[in-house]
Amino acid sequence: MAEHSPEQIEKVITDSLISFGANADEINRDAELTALDIDSLDLAELSQIIEEHFGVELTSGDVAEISTVGDAIDLVAERA
Amino acid sequence: MSDARPPGACALVTGGSRGIGAAIARALAADGWPVAVNYLTGAKPAAEVVASIEAAGGRAVAIEADVTDPAAPATLLDAVQSALGGPVLALVNNAGVRADGLALSLSDEDWRIVLDTNLGSTYRLTRAALRAMIRARYGRVISIASVVGPRANAGQANYAASKAAVIAFTKTAAVEVARRGVTINAVAPGLIATDMTQDIPQAFRDRVPAARAGTPDEVAAAVAFLASDRASYITATTVYVDGGLSA
């Protein structure tokens, strides 16, 4: 498994959230995904993007545990 | 949001070697789609469909796969990418079977094979194909339903259940992905002259207001339209191609 820095992971996730329509100014580790208007379809696509970039497969159970941007970054960093 | 077919986009038609599926493959190729013609047993007719598309200046490849195999979607999508060089952004779920009998006497196997082929494969292939479609912000899923399902037809409880469920699946899946530029629709043929309908009784034929059976090309025309950029705002619906039978 390739090494990925937390900064790389944060950038991919942040860019993805922006592409889904989230306001860049409101994205930070503590931001709730629901407050960023990120919904289940966005999360499904984010899972695909994470799999493509980092080779990390997230189950629907994993995704259900994610509530903040920081949760997503930490989960991927843990497994990448 | 993109409303135009991305470069390299490919189409996959399941059960594309004969009848309605073959006509759909030809119609999509005529609209410029590189087309994968999936077949299970019809290697020769599938090769003929490919040859006719190529003779008309199109691109096509025949790919064998049993759509009831849970591994088939991933294998098929990868095979299309390898053979035609692009992702499947138009999926036509056409493969289907009949195993008729009165509901009170249908075997479990007749129920299972019809539901799994007509409905299960539609679900599994759509699920797999949507991954590339939502990333591309473009996609077309067209599933072949039937007038039988929304309407009763004695002797086809299994077939009717599968086709009504395809329409229900189409509606819900469509609303889930609509904002990604992906449309999901069904086309419901009535009595169409194919190998599969040769044994349809005359009494059923007499119920068609148009007083004739339809042709595979008439179904394919509706599918090609729904696959086109012109149909970008049509989703979650069912287009009946039935000579008025469902009215």
Side-chain angles (χ1 to χ4, degrees):
Chain A
M1 189 72 70
E3 293 280 326
H4 300 285
S5 70
E7 291 73 23
Q8 282 177 307
I9 295 167
E10 183 170 348
K11 178 169 179 8
V12 167
I13 290 176
T14 300
D15 289 350
S16 300
L17 297 177
I18 292 169
S19 77
F20 301 151
N23 185 338
D25 295 338
E26 294 174 8
I27 299 176
N28 59 64
R29 280 191 57 87
D30 296 329
E32 297 278 343
L33 294 175
T34 49
L36 296 172
D37 285 335
I38 299 300
D39 68 6
S40 55
L41 176 62
D42 299 324
L43 288 173
E45 187 173 344
L46 180 62
S47 297
Q48 282 185 50
I49 293 169
I50 287 169
E51 190 179 332
E52 287 166 15
H53 276 83
F54 307 115
V56 174
E57 280 189 48
L58 299 181
T59 65
S60 52
D62 293 329
V63 174
E65 295 293 313
I66 298 172
S67 63
T68 65
V69 174
D71 291 343
I73 295 168
D74 293 345
L75 181 63
V76 178
E78 204 173 277
R79 300 193 191 171
Chain B
M1 176 102 28
S2 168
D3 289 334
R5 187 197 314 172
C10 298
L12 167 61
V13 182
T14 67
S17 65
R18 288 181 293 223
I20 291 172
I24 291 168
R26 290 192 191 96
L28 292 176
D31 279 355
W33 289 92
V35 178
V37 179
N38 157 252
Y39 67 94
L40 175 58
T41 58
K44 188 162 178 285
E48 289 167 1
V49 173
V50 169
S52 69
I53 288 171
E54 290 174 341
R59 291 178 63 211
V61 63
I63 302 176
E64 179 186 0
D66 178 354
V67 294
T68 64
D69 177 353
T75 310
L76 259 173
L77 296 176
D78 286 349
V80 177
Q81 174 87 43
S82 299
L84 296 175
V88 171
L89 296 185
L91 167 66
V92 182
N93 292 303
N94 169 72
V97 294
R98 286 169 48 197
D100 297 351
L102 296 179
L104 60 82
S105 59
L106 277 176
S107 70
D108 285 350
E109 179 56 16
D110 285 345
W111 178 266
R112 188 199 64 76
I113 191 65
V114 171
L115 268 289
D116 198 39
T117 306
N118 301 0
L119 176 63
S121 74
T122 293
Y123 159 62
R124 287 186 296 268
L125 263 165
T126 302
R127 178 179 59 180
L130 282 175
R131 292 171 62 88
M133 292 179 185
I134 64 170
R135 297 299 309 283
R137 302 295 189 267
Y138 185 97
R140 298 284 188 270
V141 178
I142 299 136
S143 299
I144 303 305
S146 172
V147 291
V148 175
R151 291 177 66 93
N153 193 34
Q156 291 198 306
N158 50 358
Y159 188 82
S162 73
K163 294 300 190 180
V166 163
I167 290 172
F169 170 72
T170 293
K171 287 182 184 178
T172 292
V175 301
E176 290 176 355
V177 296
R179 64 196 169 85
R180 289 288 198 273
V182 178
T183 70
I184 307 185
N185 293 291
V187 167
L191 178 62
I192 306 298
T194 67
D195 294 346
M196 197 168 163
T197 57
Q198 281 179 341
D199 60 340
I200 300 291
Q202 188 60 41
F204 188 91
R205 295 169 184 270
D206 291 343
R207 284 162 46 193
V208 180
R212 67 173 177 86
T215 68
D217 286 341
E218 288 173 314
V219 179
V223 174
F225 171 66
L226 290 171
S228 74
D229 292 344
R230 289 170 296 161
S232 54
Y233 202 58
I234 300 174
T235 195
T237 197
T238 299
V239 176
Y240 288 83
V241 182
D242 67 354
L245 183 60
S246 59

